[in-house]
Amino acid sequence: MRKQLMLLTALLLISCPIFAQDESAEESSSGGMAGTGDLLFEVTGTPFLGSSLLNFSEFRARYFLTEDMAVRLGMDMNLNNNQQTPDVVVNDSYYGLMPGFEYHFVNDGAFRSYAAADLMFGQRIVSQKSSTGPTVLGASFDPGFYSPTDNLPNRAYMQFGGRISIGAEYYFGKRFYVGGEIGFQYIYRNNEEVFVDGESFQAPTTDNFGFLNTTNALKIGFRFLTL
């Protein structure tokens, strides 16, 4: 929930100065669509996932080098500080950064389609602190139910990978657009060492996996300005 509120706040802060400006003064060379020198901001997400109307994924900035090519930077952040019981607090935070590049195939009227490639970097920080029981760093679990050889849940990690995607977007006037994106991504993850009360409980482990990515199936954006 905190992640969704942060993204909604960012979107509102961006949209206010956009609609306060004179649209005709900043129309790009593409005549309503994004073109050379344009800076855009968008949020992405997956609609109708579970009980949520929209599960937010990324906040993204895009800059068009030409009418067919753009660089972009996606950001993802989730801060969670949960007091599960009066004496147990779980901190679980994630930070992600996704720099990438887009090539646009179709630039026809208000519609355009494109392919994109992104590098992906992320870090998850997890701890479970207790005033009456064991304190866990690098994961969140009850040490009484696991051994050092088990597959521990809720691990802290560093990860990197790549993603290739195809997408499309439709522009409503000079400022606002909606679209969607789907792709495939591969992740290599280094799970951090786990400590219980300051003593090593489990050494670092590694995972690698690939999957179809639909977290950016819907995106909503604004053309902020023309540089």
Side-chain angles (χ1 to χ4, degrees):
M1 178 61 69
R2 185 178 299 179
K3 174 183 175 182
Q4 295 179 2
L5 290 175
M6 290 175 65
L7 287 173
L8 280 173
T9 302
L11 183 58
L12 289 173
L13 290 173
I14 290 169
S15 62
C16 288
I18 290 174
F19 291 109
Q21 296 174 6
D22 181 8
E23 290 189 353
S24 62
E26 294 187 3
E27 181 177 357
S28 74
S29 60
S30 56
M33 298 179 63
T36 305
D38 282 355
L39 178 64
L40 294 80
F41 292 99
E42 64 188 27
V43 292
T44 71
T46 307
F48 310 113
L49 181 64
S51 59
S52 300
L53 178 63
L54 182 64
N55 184 39
F56 286 101
S57 175
E58 296 178 23
F59 173 71
R60 184 184 290 160
R62 307 161 71 200
Y63 177 73
F64 276 77
L65 303 172
T66 69
E67 290 191 5
D68 299 323
M69 294 184 290
V71 292
R72 66 188 197 173
L73 179 64
M75 293 163 282
D76 182 19
M77 180 172 63
N78 186 18
L79 305 177
N80 186 15
N81 188 348
N82 180 23
Q83 186 167 358
Q84 296 185 336
T85 65
D87 66 321
V88 176
V89 176
V90 174
N91 297 299
D92 189 346
S93 302
Y94 177 80
Y95 308 88
L97 200 62
M98 289 76 68
F101 176 81
E102 298 177 5
Y103 183 81
H104 290 247
F105 299 112
V106 177
N107 187 345
D108 183 17
F111 175 83
R112 68 194 309 159
S113 62
Y114 63 89
D118 299 287
L119 296 176
M120 307 182 70
F121 305 92
Q123 181 181 21
R124 185 185 184 192
I125 302 171
V126 185
S127 67
Q128 178 175 299
K129 298 182 179 180
S130 174
S131 59
T132 60
T135 291
V136 181
L137 299 179
S140 172
F141 65 98
D142 186 343
F145 292 97
Y146 292 89
S147 73
T149 59
D150 288 334
N151 184 19
L152 301 178
N154 304 323
R155 294 287 295 269
Y157 56 76
M158 292 282 293
Q159 68 180 23
F160 65 90
R163 177 175 64 194
I164 54 175
S165 308
I166 56 173
E169 54 199 23
Y170 185 87
Y171 285 74
F172 297 90
K174 303 179 181 69
R175 302 290 186 190
F176 177 71
Y177 65 93
V178 297
E181 189 174 297
I182 189 171
F184 180 84
Q185 66 187 43
Y186 172 82
I187 296 293
Y188 177 85
R189 179 175 294 171
N190 181 26
N191 297 306
E192 297 183 1
E193 185 174 6
V194 178
F195 294 88
V196 177
D197 286 336
E199 296 186 2
S200 180
F201 185 83
Q202 188 176 96
T205 61
T206 59
D207 295 314
N208 61 88
F209 47 90
F211 57 93
L212 182 68
N213 176 45
T214 60
T215 59
N216 300 321
L218 176 67
K219 64 177 187 175
I220 303 170
F222 298 92
R223 186 168 64 191
F224 186 64
L225 53 82
T226 299
L227 300 179

